[in-house]
Amino acid sequence: PAKGHMAREVDALGGQMAVTTDYAMTHIRRVGTGKGPAVQTVRAHVCKDLYPTFMQSVLAKQENLEIVETAVDRVLIEANRVAGVVLEDGSIVRARAVVLTTGTFLNGLCHEGKIQTVAARHGDRAMVGLSKFLADLGVRLRRFKTGTTPRVRLSSLNLNGLTVMGSEPEAGALSFMHSAPFPQKDLLDCWQTWTNAHTHDVIRENLTESAMYSGQIQGIGPRYCPSIEDKIVRFADKDTHPIFLEVETWDGESVYVQGVSTSLPAAVQLELLRTVPGMAGVEMIRPGYAVEYDMADPLQLDQHLMSKLLPGLFLAGQLNGTSGYEEAAGQGIVAGINAARFAREDEPVDFPRDRSFIGVMVDDLVTKGVDDPYRMLTARAEHRLILRHDNADARLTALGREVGLVKDDRWAIFESKQSEIASGLAALQNHAALPVDSDLLVGLGTNPIDQKVSYFDLMKRPEVSLKKIEELAKAKGVELNLPVDGPVRDQIELAGLYDGYIQRQERLAHQHRRLDGMKIPVTFDFYGLLGLSYESREKMGRVKPTTIGQASRIPGVRPADIALLIGHLKAQPREPVNS
């Protein structure tokens, strides 16, 4: 679910991802509906042909943007700061700031069984020069691994008897700019099937042929999206694993076999697929494969994703050890905003943990580092109830406006929505139930009252929905004028139902904000602070936290050491302020 949250946050900041998704959408569903609102979001599929075509058209129309399709050999450095990039033909593009978003392209190596291909992904060549540049700069490089699944022919599947997962158009649009998506054709279904004992036997019998298990791959793979080989070995007690069949384009035959990421030989992939219900006669369009690539230790980045080794150099995406497009998009907009501000000599923009899932991810990367490809999970956010899918615009659109990403049309939609929410909440606060209304309350399934209670406060009772409040108001002849449905109504209801919990999380967030507001000088010598434990000195000296809050989140740093650090900083004389 956190992926849907981050896609909405990128949109709230003025990004293009969700807008394009609404036009290229082929399938959408709400996820997390069996749980509370903090983890509910939407999951969308897009047409693999239309999405990049639409995105390219948007880029082509973007003012002040020149696209050069070529390879970068290295970053140009002058006076110990970024001065531009050197292209593979030797020409130079000058720049005050550079953002590297190399995905799996750095020293990319694809594996399909014992077959190795130097490539970043199917059909794309790997890049070598930038890895050497980063290593020479002092960046700690490691090898990570990701993978993809086989693509199979739709007409070769027997979908009868499989679980149909239909689209849910009522889930709404992904972008805050739209009230509904604009798919070019009817939304598509996808189907669920399962592996079985026969499937697992085929995989076990051929484990030595897998690049992952033959020792051929040295890179570390994702913990939360493992290959099918990994699933069978690590979860040997499981008799089945789910597979989702997802059509990649409206008019094409290609089906993405979600859940079967693999580096087994093509012949073995086909054999195991044909053991799965609905796939007995399947034809494979393209086998799955694994990709090894170089990644850079994110502990060498600051909170704005700028390298601590070279001013003006920003890193984002899989290069920083993450896995997934949404994680990459979230980092891309953080690095892009701050690279632009660095080039203009403006103050950088912070993304605190209590304001966005993007902020949680960035803080995790630069404070805790990564041991395997990082995937954003809702459980990583300690302030989940105030970081909901539905309120990403309330949290971030004003920031997007401030930095120049939110244009007038988006801002007008945002202001109108916030005005409607404020008006609805005011109506609930300004009208109240009285003790004489107790019979009405009992009739609505809740307890009587012995004093005046606002409609808003009544909604804190789990059994009192917004609909019941409207019934109460109607019985009293009060007109609340609330929306019949839609996101405005949803936010009004959530604000009432969870008010006490939200206030509690806001207080906790405020405490954390205080610690993040206590700055640590960039030149602070953690090794020289007597009394710190050796482990805390070593870890803080490596991460070089810039705030007390960040220092407190470094794994292994003790609370007593944080108290000592706070005491030491408070005891330091303040710099004089010019009057």
Side-chain angles (χ1 to χ4, degrees), residues 281-508:
V282 73
E283 297 174 16
M284 193 161 62
I285 296 174
R286 195 179 82 199
Y289 58 92
V291 188
E292 274 189 292
Y293 57 94
D294 287 349
M295 57 76 62
D297 186 350
L299 290 177
Q300 293 179 296
L301 303 174
D302 67 14
Q303 291 276 356
H304 312 113
L305 296 182
M306 186 168 74
S307 172
K308 296 175 181 177
L309 304 173
L310 180 61
L313 177 64
F314 294 78
L315 277 58
Q318 281 180 280
L319 178 59
N320 290 340
T322 57
S323 174
Y325 294 118
E326 296 82 1
E327 287 86 349
Q331 293 172 72
I333 204 162
V334 171
I337 288 169
N338 284 305
R341 295 180 73 81
F342 181 88
R344 293 172 53 167
E345 298 184 351
D346 292 337
E347 285 296 311
V349 173
D350 291 326
F351 286 80
R353 295 180 69 93
D354 61 1
R355 196 168 181 179
S356 65
F357 273 86
I358 291 173
V360 172
M361 171 181 62
V362 170
D363 184 65
D364 280 352
L365 292 174
V366 304
T367 302
K368 302 175 183 178
V370 292
D371 295 319
D372 49 63
Y374 178 99
R375 179 146 293 186
M376 189 63 210
L377 307 170
T378 53
R380 296 189 192 273
E382 59 271 37
H383 306 297
R384 291 195 285 288
L385 201 50
I386 56 178
L387 302 182
R388 302 188 311 273
H389 163 98
D390 62 276
N391 70 356
D393 55 344
R395 293 183 277 115
L396 295 170
T397 297
L399 173 60
R401 181 73 168 179
E402 181 185 330
V403 300
L405 288 178
V406 170
K407 307 305 181 192
D408 291 345
D409 54 347
R410 182 184 287 272
W411 187 245
I413 291 170
F414 170 74
E415 287 196 308
S416 174
K417 178 183 174 184
Q418 297 309 308
S419 175
E420 286 186 67
I421 292 171
S423 175
L425 291 174
L428 294 171
Q429 293 280 14
N430 294 335
H431 291 89
L434 302 172
V436 295
D437 301 321
S438 289
D439 288 346
L440 292 173
L441 292 173
V442 171
L444 293 174
T446 190
N447 292 327
I449 56 176
D450 55 11
Q451 59 183 358
K452 181 180 178 180
V453 179
S454 74
Y455 289 174
F456 181 82
D457 287 335
L458 275 177
M459 286 175 57
K460 296 177 185 178
R461 299 181 176 188
E463 70 275 10
V464 180
S465 64
L466 188 54
K467 184 178 179 180
K468 288 186 176 181
I469 290 292
E470 288 173 316
E471 291 176 17
L472 173 64
K474 184 177 180 180
K476 295 185 63 178
V478 174
E479 189 62 53
L480 294 176
N481 295 316
L482 299 176
V484 176
D485 55 26
V488 170
R489 182 182 178 90
D490 292 342
Q491 284 206 261
I492 291 171
E493 184 155 29
L494 288 173
L497 180 60
Y498 292 100
D499 181 61
Y501 299 100
I502 291 171
Q503 287 190 41
R504 186 185 305 168
Q505 285 213 347
E506 290 284 8
R507 288 194 295 270
L508 184 61

Side-chain angles (χ1 to χ4, degrees), residues 134-209:
L134 291 171
D136 290 345
L137 184 64
V139 174
R140 294 187 290 268
L141 296 177
R142 283 181 284 160
R143 295 289 276 177
F144 271 9
K145 167 252 171 190
T146 189
T148 190
T149 73
R151 269 62 163 189
V152 300
R153 198 173 304 282
L154 177 61
S155 58
S156 70
L157 298 172
N158 179 9
L159 302 173
N160 294 327
L162 300 186
T163 302
V164 180
M165 302 187 72
S167 284
E168 299 172 343
E170 66 276 11
L174 192 62
S175 173
F176 288 103
M177 292 287 286
H178 307 142
S179 58
F182 309 98
Q184 308 306 295
K185 298 185 180 182
D186 291 339
L187 293 175
L188 302 174
D189 295 332
C190 68
W191 297 267
Q192 184 176 18
T193 184
W194 300 83
T195 63
N196 52 57
H198 190 185
T199 315
H200 299 185
D201 288 342
V202 171
I203 294 169
R204 289 191 192 97
E205 289 165 7
N206 290 279
L207 274 180
T208 56
E209 298 298 311

